[in-house]
Amino acid sequence: MSRRTSVIICVYTEDRWEDIGAAVESVRRQRRQPHELIIVVDHNPDLCLRLKREHPDAIVVENTQARGLSGGRNTGVGIATGDLVAFLDDDAIADPGWLHAFEAAFADPAVVAVGGFTRPRWATGRRPRWFPEEFDWTVGCSYRGMPAQRSRIRNVMGGNAAFRRDVVIEAGGFRTHIGRSVRGRASRPLGCEETELCIRITQRRPGSVILFEPAAVIEHKVTAERARFAYFRARCFAEGLSKALVTESVGAQDGLSSEVSYATRTLPAGVLRGLGDAVRGDLAGLGRATAIMVGLAWTACGYLGGRIRSAVSAR
């Protein structure tokens, strides 16, 4: 059966004008053309008008829901007419076979969401030597520890993912208090809104399948700022805060099921790998091992802080 895919790109600022143009052009170059391209502008009327002039073939709308990424995605889903909705970050470039790979992964009617493989595109030209691949999620990319082939997973990463549109609507969409915004609490780089949605969907629909499809490839730009250790540490802490919100919504058992394996298997193996590299003469391996330990500690601190905050607020 032929599937129709609405591609949704959420945008915020004219500072990313070149990046937005590259993302849109990569959608136009798809071997499997989308049913429609929807660009959702987050409360920025000037940018909305400029995009309408520049891309008359796209559906350009303003975010009608809460400010931020979740509200923008919900707006896009609400006006989409495709069977599937695919999300692409505004600073990412999709490979030409991206949509074809997504649509093929939905052949099984039990599949409700599919996540793709996201490669980092370092603005500095290369990965910082201290930056461990186990923490590429801090810059919105696929990370060491994820499957290498099509596999069942708990949740997708939102910048490179597709959902059945009716399933998202039935579940109530993305929770706007969990993900990123442009002001207020999101001065921290929060996330996990797609994690919470995926868990909520599978809780509501037992037997639902969420897949990782490595053939659905995009490249995600990593700015020089995000390649710095200060951002790495802040992003880890914010992830912990976000995970606390997720567990508050869907429960700790489902909300932390993947994280337990990651923390007890993937990260210790990464530390040993880094130390081994250092012994073999790659002294940056010591930096990677240290970054893994610091990243885990800051994520745990963020999680504990978020749980304490929730407990205090509930009193």
Side-chain angles (χ1 to χ4, degrees), residues 87-115:
F87 299 102
L88 180 68
D89 277 349
D90 65 346
D91 54 355
I93 297 174
D95 279 9
W98 177 64
L99 278 186
H100 175 75
F102 270 153
E103 293 186 1
F106 281 95
D108 181 350
V111 175
V112 295
V114 180

Side-chain angles (χ1 to χ4, degrees), residues 16-269:
R16 289 188 176 182
W17 181 256
E18 297 297 328
D19 294 333
I20 295 169
V24 169
E25 186 59 30
S26 75
V27 174
R28 292 192 179 120
R29 292 199 307 266
Q30 292 298 300
R31 291 197 294 268
R32 169 66 173 166
Q33 283 293 297
H35 170 62
E36 60 195 355
L37 170 60
I38 301 171
I39 304 174
V40 183
V41 184
D42 194 35
H43 300 272
N44 187 333
D46 291 340
L47 176 58
C48 189
L49 287 173
R50 187 179 180 188
L51 285 167
K52 285 181 177 180
R53 290 194 297 266
E54 185 74 14
H55 303 290
D57 56 328
I59 301 170
V60 181
V61 297
E62 294 195 52
N63 178 9
T64 59
Q65 297 196 18
R67 186 182 294 268
L69 183 56
S70 293
R73 286 174 174 167
N74 288 339
T75 295
V77 170
I79 67 171
T81 58
D83 310 297
L84 309 176
V85 287
F87 299 102
L88 180 68
D89 277 349
D90 65 346
D91 54 355
I93 297 174
D95 279 9
W98 177 64
L99 278 186
H100 175 75
F102 270 153
E103 293 186 1
F106 281 95
D108 181 350
V111 175
V112 295
V114 180
F117 181 79
T118 303
R119 290 194 298 256
R121 182 164 50 94
W122 303 93
T124 56
R126 64 176 184 174
R127 170 189 297 275
R129 296 186 64 202
W130 62 266
F131 202 113
E133 292 183 13
E134 290 80 0
F135 277 81
D136 277 8
W137 56 263
T138 62
V139 291
C141 297
S142 300
Y143 54 91
R144 189 192 296 270
M146 292 181 65
Q149 57 190 7
R150 182 187 287 185
S151 304
R152 190 167 180 170
I153 55 175
R154 183 193 65 181
N155 64 272
V156 301
M157 298 181 71
N160 180 14
F163 292 79
R164 294 192 189 274
R165 177 177 174 270
D166 61 341
V167 171
V168 176
I169 293 173
E170 177 189 300
F174 294 89
R175 294 287 189 251
T176 57
H177 70 286
I178 293 178
R180 291 196 184 204
S181 182
V182 294
R183 62 184 179 185
R185 187 169 48 180
S187 55
R188 293 188 185 278
L190 298 174
C192 291
E193 63 273 22
E194 65 276 0
T195 300
E196 193 273 346
L197 175 60
C198 287
I199 296 172
R200 187 156 31 91
I201 288 172
T202 54
Q203 287 178 342
R204 291 171 59 99
R205 297 171 61 113
S208 295
V209 174
I210 297 174
L211 290 179
F212 171 67
E213 174 50 78
V217 179
I218 70 169
E219 288 190 353
H220 188 260
K221 181 179 179 180
V222 182
T223 63
E225 176 193 359
R226 293 187 178 187
R228 295 175 182 147
F229 188 75
Y231 179 85
F232 172 85
R233 187 179 61 187
R235 179 69 185 87
C236 289
F237 188 83
E239 183 75 1
L241 290 174
S242 300
K243 283 290 187 287
L245 293 171
V246 170
T247 57
E248 185 179 336
S249 173
V250 300
Q253 182 174 349
D254 289 338
L256 296 178
S257 59
S258 297
E259 287 73 14
V260 170
S261 174
Y262 171 76
T264 58
R265 296 181 182 179
T266 301
L267 296 188

